[in-house]
Amino acid sequence: MNKFTLIKYDKHGMKQYSLDDKRIKWSLIGGSVLAAALMITVGVAIGSALKFDGSTDSARIMELQTMIDESQRELLSHRNKVQTDIDSITLQIGKLMAQSTRLNALGSRLTDAAGIDSGEFDFSSEPGVGGSYLELAGENNTPEEVFKNLFSLENTLQQQSDQLEMISHILNEKELVKRSTPNNMPLESGWISSSYGNRIDPFTGKKSKHMAMDFSGKYNAEIYAAADGIVTWAGNRSTYGKMVEIDHGNGFVTRYAHAKSVDVKVGQKVNSGDKIAIMGKTGRATSEHLHFEVLQNGRKVNPLPFIKAS
């Protein structure tokens, strides 16, 4: 068996060791095995470290991706909610604009109907408003407050619309009553030749009741309707001669007698001031004149108050 001499130096000097090849072989093998085991251990440790770091990074990336997705969902939900609020506000504003336009038209019509100066209530311009800068609260409006104010304004406009409609109805009723109540002169010009009440009959010379007013005027003077109504008589009628009778629909009836000619027909609708006949002396009359009667609920009344109203 071969032997080898191993020389080693230390503080005591040089020492020699004799080794055979078997011992060297096993020493080398043992060293190699130990080195290999150490390398494997280090490799496993490095691999484990790398594997651990990779798993941590992947989990962190997944966590961040989840957070991003959740943020995107929240952002989309918020954007949809804001869009819904905007659509609701826009719809409400559209309704208010339509309501405002309707109120302006109604207000303008009522202004004309009531005879109010258009400059006093100009519905086409905004009313003057204002205030001190120091009165500002400095607070921002919230969507809830905006909705609350819009719906409050809608309720206010609706109440105003109902009130104006009621006023319009009352004015229309008054206008209808006015137009269907005798309030227009039956002649464009002329004079009262015989009043309502007691008088001396021109044919007998005796006292009599004259239940009408007589008007005299120029030859062929036009006779006009004293109010709106429907013609219920147009033609000859006993001592009235040629006569027009108009029913005004609210208990009033007017009669226009002794006409030379009649220009309307039974059933015809006439308006206040429309020409209905030509003054004459047909029937029981001494000369050309208009015999004007006013009946209220079937009873002949004095035409004078109605003539004064005109």
Side-chain angles (χ1 to χ4, degrees):
M1 181 178 296
N2 296 326
K3 294 184 178 181
F4 300 92
T5 302
L6 178 62
I7 300 174
K8 181 179 179 181
Y9 294 89
D10 58 16
K11 62 182 181 178
H12 300 291
M14 182 181 69
K15 292 183 180 181
Q16 295 182 0
Y17 299 93
S18 297
L19 299 173
D20 54 26
D21 54 356
K22 186 176 181 180
R23 291 179 60 187
I24 293 173
K25 179 179 179 182
W26 285 108
S27 297
L28 291 175
I29 291 173
S32 298
V33 171
L34 181 61
L38 180 61
M39 291 178 65
I40 292 172
T41 302
V42 172
V44 171
I46 293 173
S48 298
L50 291 175
K51 182 178 181 181
F52 176 77
D53 290 341
S55 300
T56 302
D57 291 343
S58 177
R60 183 60 178 167
I61 290 172
M62 292 179 64
E63 181 181 355
L64 292 175
Q65 185 63 46
T66 302
M67 292 175 62
I68 292 172
D69 294 341
E70 182 65 25
S71 297
Q72 288 179 342
R73 285 192 294 269
E74 291 179 357
L75 180 60
L76 180 61
S77 176
H78 180 69
R79 186 178 65 180
N80 292 337
K81 183 179 182 301
V82 170
Q83 186 62 51
T84 301
D85 291 343
I86 292 175
D87 293 342
S88 300
I89 292 175
T90 302
L91 179 63
Q92 190 69 10
I93 290 175
K95 291 171 61 179
L96 293 178
M97 290 177 65
Q99 187 80 334
S100 176
T101 301
R102 181 171 174 270
L103 286 178
N104 288 341
L106 180 57
S108 297
R109 190 172 77 243
L110 292 179
T111 299
D112 294 337
I116 300 174
D117 184 2
S118 59
E120 184 176 354
F121 290 97
D122 186 1
F123 288 88
S124 63
S125 62
E126 296 182 0
V129 294
S132 170
Y133 180 78
L134 298 178
E135 296 174 356
L136 298 177
E139 298 178 356
N140 293 326
N141 291 319
T142 63
E144 291 78 10
E145 291 174 340
V146 173
F147 278 119
K148 182 179 179 181
N149 291 334
L150 285 176
F151 283 107
S152 176
L153 179 58
E154 182 183 18
N155 291 333
T156 300
L157 288 177
Q158 185 59 50
Q159 292 175 2
Q160 292 176 348
S161 176
D162 294 340
Q163 292 171 354
L164 288 177
E165 285 288 356
M166 184 178 298
I167 294 174
S168 176
H169 179 72
I170 292 173
L171 287 177
N172 287 337
E173 287 292 329
K174 287 185 176 180
E175 181 64 19
L176 288 175
V177 170
K178 178 181 177 182
R179 292 187 62 85
S180 61
T181 300
N183 61 3
N184 188 59
M185 279 289 292
L187 290 177
E188 183 176 358
S189 62
W191 65 92
I192 298 174
S193 56
S194 182
S195 299
Y196 177 91
N198 295 326
R199 73 170 185 176
I200 301 297
D201 184 80
F203 290 95
T204 65
K206 296 180 180 181
K207 289 183 179 181
S208 65
K209 280 190 174 294
H210 186 229
M211 308 301 285
M213 291 184 70
D214 290 342
F215 292 87
S216 293
K218 66 181 182 178
Y219 183 70
N220 285 338
E222 295 181 347
I223 300 174
Y224 306 108
D228 294 355
I230 302 296
V231 176
T232 54
W233 190 279
N236 290 311
R237 186 168 176 176
S238 185
T239 57
Y240 284 102
K242 290 182 179 179
M243 186 194 77
V244 175
E245 182 180 87
I246 301 175
D247 188 342
H248 304 287
N250 61 343
F252 286 103
V253 173
T254 53
R255 291 172 177 169
Y256 313 78
H258 308 309
K260 177 182 178 180
S261 61
V262 173
D263 297 331
V264 292
K265 297 179 180 180
V266 174
Q268 181 177 337
K269 183 182 183 302
V270 294
N271 295 323
S272 180
D274 284 353
K275 177 188 172 185
I276 58 174
I278 297 295
M279 189 173 68
K281 58 177 181 178
T282 59
R284 193 172 183 266
T286 59
S287 62
E288 291 87 1
H289 74 283
L290 166 65
H291 177 90
F292 180 60
E293 288 183 5
V294 176
L295 291 83
Q296 185 174 12
N297 298 321
R299 186 174 61 89
K300 294 179 182 180
V301 297
N302 190 353
L304 184 59
F306 304 100
I307 298 301
K308 286 183 177 180
S310 65

